[in-house]
Amino acid sequence: MSHMTAIAIWCNTEVPGSPMLWAAADSRVSSHDQRSSRKTIIDDAVKIMGLPLIARAPDPSGFFSEVYYAHTVGYAFAGSSLMGQNAYLALVPLLSNLISLERRPPALADVADYVARLLNRTFDETKHRGKESLFEVAIFGFCSCRQSLATYHFAPNASVETRGGMAIKMTPCENLKDQDFIYLGDNKASMRDAVEKAFKGPNVPGRPASRAPRYVIADCIEDVSCGSIGGDLQLAIADREGFRPLALLKPRVIGTPEAYLSYLGHELDQSMQQVGSLGIGVKGMA
């Protein structure tokens, strides 16, 4: 099972003094059979998610139970669904159980180094499965140590030999400027060109250039000729406040004011916005 994915992560400075990293992706998972034909498996796959960073210090009894740091950054993957999701599920319990006597916050660069080590082990154990096991990952967000935004891209590197195959190469993207972006997924050259052209294009009502990658990916989702990219649009933001997924605000009937919240192509009706007496705080964006 594999993703034919389109994911863009870019620096957005449209809010003065509050730079953010935006992420957009499609939500389709497809597979290949022996005849190389493509079959859609699901159209509501999660490809962008929050990665918790939680650190604890000793309490008065000496146990590491006192949370002194809690933050989330983004995690996105393209390629093998099994590999990308399993790597995420392996990282969550590890990075949410950091400990320190000095109560130091984790530097995002150090987190990225750790992710690279885990991904190399994961890839080394599965690369014999061939192309179906290939995947790439990005983590992105705010570094509390450097007080800045950064992204780190991890992808197979054929030029580095391990025991019979490739290793994972990490590419850091720090000191980000407005419209700096990375792309994960298929048709890399053409998609990067499309994003660059869209950034340079004019602001159109309802389609500001500062959010260009989301519209490039949304257009691909709507284009039936891009059969490998589909489902619905996923959006998320990461900044000094952490990682926040966004729902889509969609009109019930185009041209009318009534709208609803959609997440992964499904309506977030009242029954899906309550957890007991608590509410789901995911914001919607048109």
Side-chain angles (χ1 to χ4, degrees):
M1 186 186 298
S2 64
H3 284 307
M4 295 298 285
T5 295
I7 302 174
I9 302 165
W10 71 100
C11 184
N12 181 311
T13 62
E14 64 186 60
V15 179
S18 298
M20 303 176 183
L21 290 175
W22 283 50
D26 75 314
S27 64
R28 174 165 292 174
V29 172
S30 56
S31 66
H32 299 270
D33 62 21
Q34 293 181 347
R35 298 183 301 275
S36 297
S37 61
R38 185 175 307 285
K39 179 181 179 182
T40 297
I41 304 299
I42 56 175
D43 265 343
D44 58 355
V46 180
K47 302 180 184 181
I48 307 171
M49 54 207 78
L51 183 63
L53 306 177
I54 302 174
R56 295 173 173 84
D59 62 16
S61 300
F63 296 100
F64 285 92
S65 62
E66 185 176 325
V67 174
Y68 70 88
Y69 181 85
H71 188 61
T72 49
V73 296
Y75 174 101
F77 71 93
S80 168
S81 302
L82 177 61
M83 296 297 101
Q85 291 174 355
N86 191 66
Y88 171 79
L89 293 173
L91 286 166
V92 169
L94 299 172
L95 294 177
S96 61
N97 281 283
L98 304 171
I99 58 174
S100 173
L101 293 173
E102 297 82 12
R103 298 174 177 262
R104 294 175 179 170
L108 193 53
D110 291 337
V111 172
D113 285 339
Y114 186 84
V115 171
R117 294 197 297 272
L118 183 138
L119 291 178
N120 267 306
R121 290 188 178 187
T122 298
F123 193 77
D124 193 56
E125 293 173 357
T126 59
K127 62 177 178 286
H128 63 278
R129 298 177 185 173
K131 292 183 178 180
E132 285 301 304
S133 69
L134 295 178
F135 66 105
E136 57 182 321
V137 168
I139 64 170
F140 58 98
F142 182 78
C143 176
S144 299
C145 292
R146 296 187 58 177
Q147 293 289 298
S148 62
L149 299 169
T151 66
Y152 297 86
H153 182 207
F154 311 84
N157 182 13
S159 64
V160 177
E161 291 294 327
T162 61
R163 291 173 298 183
M166 294 177 285
I168 290 287
K169 177 184 178 181
M170 180 180 74
T171 303
C173 301
E174 300 166 332
N175 303 313
L176 295 168
K177 303 182 298 295
D178 187 47
Q179 299 185 357
D180 284 348
F181 75 94
I182 63 171
Y183 176 80
L184 289 74
D186 306 292
N187 307 319
K188 291 187 186 297
S190 61
M191 289 296 287
R192 285 171 178 157
D193 286 345
V195 170
E196 289 175 355
K197 290 178 181 178
F199 270 139
K200 295 175 182 177
N203 282 304
V204 177
R207 292 174 67 115
S210 60
R211 305 178 184 183
R214 69 162 285 185
Y215 302 115
V216 171
I217 292 175
D219 289 344
C220 288
I221 291 172
E222 295 299 323
D223 187 347
V224 294
S225 68
C226 300
S228 63
I229 299 171
D232 205 359
L233 183 70
Q234 296 179 63
L235 291 175
I237 290 174
D239 57 14
R240 64 173 57 248
E241 302 300 323
F243 172 89
R244 302 185 298 284
L246 298 172
L248 299 177
L249 194 60
K250 295 184 176 182
R252 291 203 179 277
V253 179
I254 295 177
T256 64
E258 185 181 1
Y260 67 97
L261 283 178
S262 173
Y263 181 66
L264 296 174
H266 304 293
E267 180 176 354
L268 282 178
D269 58 20
Q270 191 61 35
S271 68
M272 294 303 295
Q273 293 190 43
Q274 293 293 132
V275 181
S277 62
L278 287 71
I280 298 293
V282 174
K283 295 181 179 180
M285 179 170 290

